[in-house]
Amino acid sequence: MFTFGDSYIDTGNFVIMAAPALPVWQDKPPYGMTFFGHPMGRISDGRVIVDFIAEQLGLPLLPASLQNSSDVSKGVNFAVGGATAIDVGLYERNKLVQLKLLNNSLNVQLGWFERLKPSICNTTKGCRDRFSKALFFVGEFGVNDYSFLWSAGKTEEEVRSYVPKVVQKIAMAVERLINEGAAYLVVPGNPPIGCSPTMLTFRSSLNRTDNYDYIGCLNDINRVARRHNSFLRLAIGALRVKYPHTTIIFADFYHPIISIIEKPNRFGVNGADALRACCGGGGKYNWNASAVCGMPGVTACKNPSAFVNWDGGHFTEATYRYIAEGWLHGPFADPPILSAIRH
Ligand SMILES: *[C@@H]1O[C@H](CO)[C@@H](O)[C@H](O)[C@H]1NC(C)=O
Ligand SMILES: *[C@@H]1O[C@H](CO)[C@@H](O)[C@H](O)[C@H]1NC(C)=O
Ligand SMILES: *[C@@H]1O[C@H](CO)[C@@H](O)[C@H](O)[C@H]1NC(C)=O
Ligand SMILES: *[C@@H]1O[C@H](CO)[C@@H](O)[C@H](O)[C@H]1NC(C)=O
Ligand SMILES: *[C@@H]1O[C@H](CO)[C@@H](O)[C@H](O)[C@H]1NC(C)=O
């Protein structure tokens, strides 16, 4: 398995890349409290989606590429928290972000893949052979791109205008990997970030009337996420026509989250907690920018599996497990991963 993406599937790159330039709390307890028992570079209380998928395929949990693991023969994870589809320079040059960003966009991750290739395979034919038997993940990408724009106060129309560019970057990466021999690729769409405690808190701090949907999520933000997903599906459709020998799977990251928030009790989640983070520093959504998970004194809920959201911007292991199951067996992947790779 070779995986590219952001914090939803990162297995340790952000923690390595960010320190000491940025303050890092994700390598402190209670991160990892549910599964590993200690922080393990995942931005969750335990395993993330690609961990469950690796387990199901009988592979070891993927090492993060920046760990310099001596064994990458079964795969490696290039995903890193905060990663964008569009090069980060665009957000910096246009002053859309205040901070210096980590240089971790999709293109940079593809560069890491190129550099690591000699430790995986040596000849063009050998590499193509190897990659044709691997499962690639390209994404999720887009959430960080759109989040920077929303946080910079851009209107829905302005954020929406980025959708074709973001989707084009993802499609180009898929195409580049296919040209290297990849034959099985999973391309996840965007989750409903209009339901995330970070976005909900940010919006409620502004003096404006926001438009909430029937489950309490932000309509404009989720509309852009859905638009991204429709564009991405179209782009995947075009790639399937162009490369009929490949299997390109669209993985739905949107509806599994919505289905939990819609009927939380069915998933063991208390209705009042459906839009609240398990680990956080208080407030309506239990997310507080000055007291985030991992900081001293910030505590987690007793039972993270009774929450959808872990730390404000990321999901609990229980949510990731549900998504992984839906991608492996259906109904949240087209086609489901297990049926696709059995051919
Ligand atoms: C990985 O290798 C690079 C290049 O040799 C080095 O700069 C980096 O510190 C190493 N990272 C870790 C986590 O050991
Ligand atoms: C990020 O790194 C790539 C090469 O890895 C480089 O071409 C690009 O200019 C860098 N971007 C920024 C904003 O530093
Ligand atoms: C590639 O070639 C180098 C030098 O011959 C060798 O040390 C290395 O083990 C080879 N890598 C693979 C994955 O076969
Ligand atoms: C919000 O805007 C209204 C009308 O301009 C003003 O009266 C009120 O004080 C503002 N509230 C906050 C919290 O800024
Ligand atoms: C957020 O955290 C800060 C720092 O701990 C605290 O002063 C503030 O009261 C908290 N806000 C809420 C809404 O809990």
Side-chain angles (χ1 to χ4, degrees):
M1 261 172 92
F2 299 100
T3 54
F4 304 85
D6 61 17
S7 55
Y8 296 124
I9 64 162
D10 185 358
T11 54
N13 282 328
F14 174 78
V15 163
I16 293 172
M17 203 178 183
L22 295 177
V24 174
W25 304 106
Q26 292 82 354
D27 62 347
K28 311 274 187 313
Y31 282 91
M33 69 181 264
T34 300
F35 185 74
F36 301 99
H38 52 89
M40 271 291 277
R42 274 98 175 142
I43 316 205
S44 183
D45 57 309
R47 288 161 290 183
V48 294
I49 299 172
V50 290
D51 291 324
F52 290 112
I53 290 172
E55 281 179 1
Q56 176 79 50
L57 301 181
L59 297 169
L61 301 189
L62 298 183
S65 58
L66 300 179
Q67 275 165 1
N68 302 336
S69 165
S70 59
D71 186 8
V72 292
S73 60
K74 300 265 172 65
V76 62
N77 186 353
F78 299 96
V80 44
T84 49
I86 297 173
D87 288 322
V88 297
L90 177 111
Y91 300 102
E92 292 177 344
R93 281 194 306 277
N94 296 333
K95 305 267 185 297
L96 293 163
V97 290
Q98 311 302 319
L99 299 167
K100 176 101 189 82
L101 297 174
L102 297 177
N103 191 1
N104 58 9
S105 66
L106 176 49
N107 254 329
V108 172
Q109 292 180 30
L110 289 168
W112 294 343
F113 173 65
E114 285 303 322
R115 245 180 297 150
L116 199 76
K117 245 166 57 179
S119 40
I120 303 165
C121 53
N122 270 334
T123 61
T124 307
K125 182 174 180 312
C127 289
R128 295 190 67 82
D129 216 51
R130 206 63 212 280
F131 298 149
S132 72
K133 298 188 182 87
L135 183 65
F136 285 80
F137 269 69
V138 185
E140 176 280 327
F141 283 98
V143 159
N144 290 306
D145 298 76
Y146 304 127
S147 294
F148 290 144
L149 297 164
W150 289 118
S151 304
K154 296 289 171 197
T155 64
E156 178 176 354
E157 214 152 29
E158 289 170 309
V159 182
R160 201 172 54 198
S161 73
Y162 282 78
V163 168
K165 300 177 220 185
V166 167
V167 168
Q168 190 194 30
K169 288 282 182 191
I170 299 168
M172 280 167 57
V174 169
E175 191 155 16
R176 183 163 153 189
L177 292 168
I178 290 173
N179 288 327
E180 302 240 10
Y184 298 92
L185 303 104
V186 180
V187 187
N190 276 10
I193 45 168
C195 303
S196 74
T198 49
M199 281 298 174
L200 287 162
T201 305
F202 166 67
R203 280 298 181 78
S204 66
S205 73
L206 304 176
N207 195 2
R208 50 185 270 187
T209 311
D210 269 307
N211 190 356
Y212 295 93
D213 67 11
Y214 67 106
I215 48 176
C217 302
L218 293 155
N219 262 325
D220 56 345
I221 295 185
N222 281 353
R223 262 196 305 268
V224 172
R226 290 196 301 272
R227 188 177 179 83
H228 168 94
N229 293 340
S230 325
F231 271 61
L232 188 58
R233 292 197 76 139
L234 287 175
I236 289 172
L239 288 168
R240 285 173 179 156
V241 171
K242 189 165 175 190
Y243 301 101
H245 64 288
T246 62
T247 301
I248 310 175
I249 297 168
F250 174 77
D252 181 354
F253 205 157
Y254 190 94
H255 293 99
I257 308 282
I258 295 290
S259 60
I260 307 176
I261 297 174
E262 244 175 6
K263 299 210 164 68
N265 297 338
R266 191 182 285 180
F267 296 88
V269 174
N270 196 323
D273 295 328
L275 296 175
R276 285 170 54 79
C278 160
C279 181
K284 181 171 178 199
Y285 301 104
N286 195 28
W287 189 77
N288 179 344
S290 12
V292 297
C293 189
M295 284 184 180
V298 176
T299 54
C301 62
K302 283 231 159 51
N303 179 12
S305 71
F307 279 72
V308 183
N309 190 282
W310 164 244
D311 64 356
H314 307 95
F315 301 101
T316 56
E317 184 190 79
T319 303
Y320 286 139
R321 178 199 296 275
Y322 176 64
I323 296 168
E325 294 290 321
W327 290 3
L328 283 161
H329 305 281
F332 296 124
D334 170 29
I337 295 172
L338 288 182
S339 70
I341 63 178
R342 274 199 202 104
H343 290 300

